[in-house]
Amino acid sequence: MNVSTNRKFADIVFEGGGVKGIGLVGALKAFENKEYQWKNISGNSAGSIVAALVAVGYSAEEIKKLMLKLDYTKITDRSYFNIPILSNTLNLLFKKGIFKGDYIKNWIDEVLSYKLKLTNKNKVTFGDLIIPGENGILLNNKKYKRKYKLHIIATDISNGKMIILPEDIAEYGINPDELQVSLAIRMSISIPYFFQPVTLNNINTNKKSLIVDGGVLSNYPVWLFDVNGAPQWPTIGFKLGGNKEIREHKITNILNFTSSIIETMLEAQDDIHIREMDFLRTVKIDTLDIKTTDFNIESKKIVDLYNSGESCAKDFLKNWDTDYKKYRMLRSNSFNNNRI
């Protein structure tokens, strides 16, 4: 592990998980206390929000304060139809989502711009997050650049593919440098049924694509910064989970029906299938049985989630030096075996 001025370098990946993403921030605090410095940052869904805040320079304590001030009830901003009883069904049928997602996008624009102290514009783009002099690539593919400090995952359901932002936005005729970070996040947090998909018009073909939550295809993209052989520095993943089995869902209406689908999709898809190598570099955060879509979360639960994340990260760090040595060995062996 590289150490410079007592700081440890690492890439970091934040899993998605709705309001449970607050736990990611507590885990971040434990690593800050150990003077970690993040090279490249990625996230999906709620993890993309935390990733962006870290990328512009917010500390865990600052993010915690933002999370406590955020009005979570406004995240569920009703869409066009606001008819009692029928509104959820009508919005699902005609807008493909119950909530607009405007409030959270505007909030992201505000807090990112404030931190970077932008004077000539009010929307941070990926061009504002370029690492000077960084020429490295990702995924052994010249298309994906390490020069972007932040990468966000989303899903194009019209074309049935994962998109890695900002680079993949070029396929739609948009300059990656000019992509608004808040728009990329809005794509990534578009939990199916809950939030309206982002409609993306391809400038080259004039075809429209619907973009939704990256968790549909990869909720935990810890693989994004992997290199051939042993890495120069580690990738550490923050994964949201719990010590309890997924609860039985009580389904009585369209809202908790869709909630149950999302809970099952995001929480059960890959937890059992984490490879040993990925397990060694994964901070598993106990989310205290709080639901992904609990947008009425109380301040006490926010603090509890934060504290849980910090505690779980501290436990992870106790064995990290040994686990990372084992990870590097497994990674090297895997690479050498693949070359034979």
Side-chain angles (χ1 to χ4, degrees):
M1 190 181 304
N2 283 2
V3 179
S4 175
T5 62
N6 293 324
R7 286 188 179 272
K8 305 175 182 69
F9 290 129
D11 295 330
I12 188 168
V13 175
F14 297 102
E15 186 188 35
V19 298
K20 297 184 298 186
I22 299 159
L24 302 169
V25 185
L28 188 68
K29 175 63 175 176
F31 280 84
E32 287 182 355
N33 290 342
K34 293 294 184 180
E35 299 187 298
Y36 272 79
Q37 180 171 299
W38 309 114
K39 301 286 284 186
N40 286 90
I41 304 164
S42 180
N44 171 68
S45 196
S48 72
I49 299 176
V50 178
L53 294 173
V54 174
V56 299
Y58 279 102
S59 68
E61 283 291 343
E62 289 174 325
I63 300 173
K64 179 183 179 182
K65 290 178 182 178
L66 290 174
M67 296 297 184
L68 284 168
K69 290 180 181 178
L70 181 64
D71 188 343
Y72 290 85
T73 61
K74 289 183 179 179
I75 294 176
T76 53
D77 44 1
R78 292 285 170 182
S79 190
Y80 301 91
F81 298 100
N82 196 14
I83 304 170
I85 302 175
L86 293 176
S87 61
N88 290 341
T89 303
L90 291 173
N91 283 315
L92 276 173
L93 287 174
F94 293 100
K95 299 299 175 182
K96 304 177 182 66
I98 299 172
F99 309 117
K100 293 185 292 184
D102 291 346
Y103 174 78
I104 192 66
K105 183 182 183 299
N106 294 335
W107 178 82
I108 291 164
D109 278 325
E110 180 182 340
V111 295
L112 295 185
S113 298
Y114 175 82
K115 192 63 175 179
L116 290 185
K117 295 180 171 59
L118 298 181
T119 56
N120 59 336
K121 59 178 182 176
N122 61 0
K123 296 183 187 297
V124 173
T125 65
F126 281 88
D128 296 313
L129 300 178
I130 289 176
I131 303 171
E134 175 59 71
N135 298 314
I137 63 173
L138 302 175
L139 305 174
N140 292 320
N141 188 331
K142 292 181 180 180
K143 175 183 179 180
Y144 301 105
K145 314 292 186 182
R146 273 191 173 271
K147 72 174 186 179
Y148 294 111
K149 190 172 184 66
L150 174 68
H151 282 84
I152 289 173
I153 307 296
T155 303
D156 180 341
I157 56 173
S158 297
N159 293 295
K161 64 180 182 180
M162 180 191 308
I163 53 177
I164 300 173
L165 301 169
E167 290 91 339
D168 282 340
I169 203 69
E171 296 179 8
Y172 302 86
I174 300 171
N175 184 339
D177 285 5
E178 297 175 0
L179 177 63
Q180 296 173 13
V181 174
S182 63
L183 179 58
I185 292 173
R186 175 62 183 83
M187 295 178 192
S188 188
I189 67 170
S190 299
I191 301 174
Y193 306 119
F194 270 81
F195 292 106
Q196 290 179 28
V198 173
T199 301
L200 199 58
N201 186 58
N202 190 315
I203 296 173
N204 299 322
T205 65
N206 205 33
K207 292 182 178 179
K208 292 183 178 180
S209 293
L210 297 182
I211 314 298
V212 301
D213 195 310
V216 171
L217 293 180
S218 181
N219 201 35
Y220 184 51
V222 72
W223 41 264
L224 183 60
F225 302 125
D226 283 348
V227 298
N228 291 332
Q232 188 177 7
W233 55 72
T235 294
I236 299 171
F238 287 7
K239 184 168 177 53
L240 298 165
N243 294 328
K244 302 179 181 180
E245 295 181 1
I246 296 175
R247 70 173 68 80
E248 180 180 352
H249 297 112
K250 186 177 181 180
I251 300 171
T252 58
N253 56 51
I254 187 65
L255 191 58
N256 55 39
F257 171 68
T258 55
S259 174
S260 298
I261 292 173
I262 301 308
E263 290 286 322
T264 303
M265 180 186 74
L266 296 182
E267 295 183 1
Q269 63 169 314
D270 60 356
D271 214 30
I272 299 173
H273 305 292
I274 300 177
R275 297 177 303 166
E276 181 181 11
M277 283 192 295
D278 289 342
F279 177 81
L280 290 168
R281 57 177 174 171
T282 295
V283 180
K284 184 71 176 292
I285 300 168
D286 185 352
T287 52
L288 310 177
D289 208 30
I290 291 171
K291 295 177 63 177
T292 298
T293 53
D294 184 7
F295 296 113
N296 292 313
I297 189 169
E298 301 170 351
S299 295
K300 181 182 182 303
K301 285 187 177 181
I302 292 174
V303 174
D304 288 345
L305 268 174
Y306 179 93
N307 292 338
S308 178
E310 185 174 5
S311 176
C312 291
K314 286 179 178 178
D315 288 341
F316 171 88
L317 283 164
K318 290 176 184 177
N319 300 312
W320 174 230
D321 288 342
T322 300
D323 287 345
Y324 183 50
K325 289 177 182 177
K326 185 176 181 181
Y327 171 81
R328 284 175 58 88
M329 181 183 68
L330 289 171
R331 188 77 195 173
S332 295
N333 291 343
S334 175
F335 176 62
N336 291 332
N337 289 336
N338 289 336
R339 294 178 65 184
I340 296 174

